[in-house]
């Protein structure tokens, strides 16, 4: 059973999500929060598997709430919801520790799959939005970090290639085909890459690739 906390200041939006999740036996909504501060408190109390987080809310917004939840060290993972005109906020939320983001107009199956993926420890990014978002905001938000340069240097040539492919938006099957590898081998490379660069998941590996200049905006 995957437990979900819904965070949105719009009552109809929360109701819609709740009604959707009720249709699936493996998903259960354990609470609803109307703003970021309430989300942080309820996450600490309820310890949901996934926090479905809106970005723009009164008071503590979704970005700051995400940062507080992730930095608390708890087990809950954050999935941010955004719209096309909130790309910058979504990217900031990823840097704050969110495990992914989806558009609010995502199809129900896409949202359900995203929640399940995040709950299982994977990450999710709205299809077709990754490159647009990173191209638009990486140069402005890039931070210089000597530790990242050392982490990058620790990667093998093949690991760099796989990380570059990930950051370009390729899926595991596409990476396997490009480098003539088994998909299980690609997964093994990724499992070694993540701890070497200090990334929690695939999303943060992509951010690392752009931060270090391994991949640059088009």
């Amino acid at each position: 059973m995957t437990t979900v906390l819904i965070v949105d200041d719009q009552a109809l939006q929360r109701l819609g999500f709740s009604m959707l999740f009720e249709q699936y036996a493996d998903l259960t909504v354990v609470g609803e929060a109307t703003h970021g501060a309430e989300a942080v408190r309820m996450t600490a109390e309820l310890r949901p598997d996934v926090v479905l987080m809106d970005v723009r809310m009164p008071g503590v917004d979704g970005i700051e709430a995400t940062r507080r939840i992730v930095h608390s060290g708890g087990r809950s993972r954050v999935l941010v919801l955004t719209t096309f005109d909130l790309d910058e906020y979504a990217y900031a939320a990823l840097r704050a520790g969110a495990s992914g983001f989806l558009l609010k107009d995502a199809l129900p199956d896409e949202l359900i799959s995203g929640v399940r993926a995040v709950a299982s420890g994977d990450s999710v990014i709205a299809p077709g939005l990754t490159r647009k978002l990173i191209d638009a905001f990486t140069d402005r938000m890039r931070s210089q970090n000597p530790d990242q340069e050392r982490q990058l240097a620790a990667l093998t040539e093949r690991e760099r290639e796989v990380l570059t492919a990930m950051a370009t938006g390729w899926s595991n099957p596409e990476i396997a085909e490009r480098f003539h590898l088994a998909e299980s081998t690609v997964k093994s490379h990724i499992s070694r890459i993540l701890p070497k660069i200090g990334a929690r998941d695939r999303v943060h590996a992509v951010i690392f690739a752009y931060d270090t200049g391994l991949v640059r905006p088009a």
Side-chain angles (χ1 to χ4, degrees):
M1 180 66 69
T2 296
T3 55
V4 181
L5 172 65
I6 299 172
V7 185
D8 199 297
D9 62 335
Q10 298 295 320
L12 286 177
Q13 192 79 66
R14 298 194 306 273
L15 176 61
F17 290 139
S18 294
M19 293 177 64
L20 174 63
F21 293 141
E22 286 176 358
Q23 301 177 39
Y24 297 87
D26 63 320
L27 302 176
T28 183
V29 176
V30 294
E32 298 180 9
T34 60
H35 54 78
E38 188 176 31
V40 174
R41 177 180 59 79
M42 293 183 69
T43 298
E45 293 175 356
L46 301 174
R47 303 181 67 226
D49 297 308
V50 179
V51 180
L52 194 62
M53 181 75 74
D54 188 20
V55 176
R56 281 186 170 174
M57 294 178 291
V60 177
D61 65 15
I63 296 171
E64 178 59 26
T66 295
R67 183 179 295 110
R68 294 182 188 181
I69 289 171
V70 172
H71 287 185
S72 72
R75 60 187 293 273
S76 301
R77 296 167 63 85
V78 180
L79 175 58
V80 171
L81 294 178
T82 183
T83 55
F84 278 112
D85 62 336
L86 292 179
D87 291 348
E88 184 171 8
Y89 293 96
Y91 187 76
L94 292 178
R95 295 183 70 93
S99 294
F101 66 89
L102 289 174
L103 300 177
K104 278 195 172 182
D105 61 357
L107 296 174
D109 287 348
E110 293 174 340
L111 178 57
I112 296 301
S113 296
V115 169
R116 287 171 174 161
V118 168
S120 68
D122 205 345
S123 56
V124 60
I125 301 178
L129 195 56
T130 310
R131 196 166 303 168
K132 174 188 172 186
L133 184 151
I134 294 179
D135 286 357
F137 300 108
T138 297
D139 274 349
R140 282 177 23 201
M141 302 182 72
R142 179 172 295 159
S143 58
Q144 300 297 322
N145 188 336
D147 289 338
Q148 289 183 327
E149 296 300 327
R150 288 191 289 270
Q151 292 167 331
L152 183 61
L155 299 178
T156 66
E157 182 178 354
R158 176 63 81 191
E159 288 168 350
R160 279 182 177 238
E161 292 174 339
V162 171
L163 177 57
T164 300
M166 289 168 54
T168 305
W170 293 5
S171 65
N172 287 359
E174 290 171 333
I175 296 173
E177 181 178 0
R178 172 64 178 81
F179 297 116
H180 307 288
L181 301 171
E183 191 171 344
S184 59
T185 302
V186 174
K187 292 179 180 179
S188 295
H189 280 306
I190 294 174
S191 68
R192 289 192 293 270
I193 290 169
L194 296 183
K196 282 187 177 182
I197 65 177
R200 295 193 316 130
D201 51 37
R202 195 183 189 99
V203 169
H204 297 98
V206 171
I207 293 175
F208 173 91
Y210 277 86
D211 278 347
T212 57
L214 183 64
V215 178
R216 297 186 182 277

